[in-house]
Amino acid sequence: NVGSIQLDQVDLLSLHSFPPCMRKLREHLRSNHHMRHGGRMQFGLFLKGIGLSLEDALQFWRDGFSEKTDAGKFEKNYAYNIRHNYGKEGKRVNYTPYSCLKIIMSSVGPDDAHGCPFRHSDLSHLKQQLLAWNVPVAGINEVAELVSQGHYQLACAKYFQLSHGAQCDEGIIHPNQYFVQSQNVLR
Ligand code: SF4
């Protein structure tokens, strides 16, 4: 499905159909104009998985970095990796987007934006984030309860339910599956 999502659709989709881990990365890129490697991998492969073409991906990241990184530096330091993720460089492997389990198990440093917010954000920060995304307080408490029991993917499914007004019957196992489920509900 590469090419099924256009560059100008990404921002609106990020508000309605990206799971929290990816919406957070979109916001991070917009406010920081930079993203460390772990985030570029997690987010870049997700975007590929929802159908962004290589050309649009290069444009997306170039735009995202443009305030701090000129086109020459971008090409030199970052473009290779993006093409690599699309299987156009190196061993030409067609890399697949990360599952929830892989993201939840990933190691996340203090300056990193990747990971699963339910697993890697501290609880007060997660609550603030959900409030900023207009989740009602009672719902935030339900999510927090699941998180404190270590049920990160159930917390994500609860977030899905709260933000879509519909259950995600299959549960959440993959950010790209979250996206597809969301589009199925919203379309
Ligand atoms: Fe992303 Fe999965 Fe965490 Fe949800 S549970 S935020 S889809 S990693």
Side-chain angles (χ1 to χ4, degrees), residues 140-156:
I140 292 175
N141 291 334
E142 286 181 80
V143 169
E145 181 65 27
L146 289 163
V147 167
S148 57
Q149 295 165 3
H151 298 311
Y152 311 119
Q153 286 162 270
L154 291 180
C156 191

Side-chain angles (χ1 to χ4, degrees), residues 118 121-128 143-145 147-148:
F118 300 109
S121 296
D122 67 60
L123 208 51
S124 66
H125 193 257
L126 176 68
K127 286 179 171 180
Q128 275 174 25
V143 169
E145 181 65 27
V147 167
S148 57

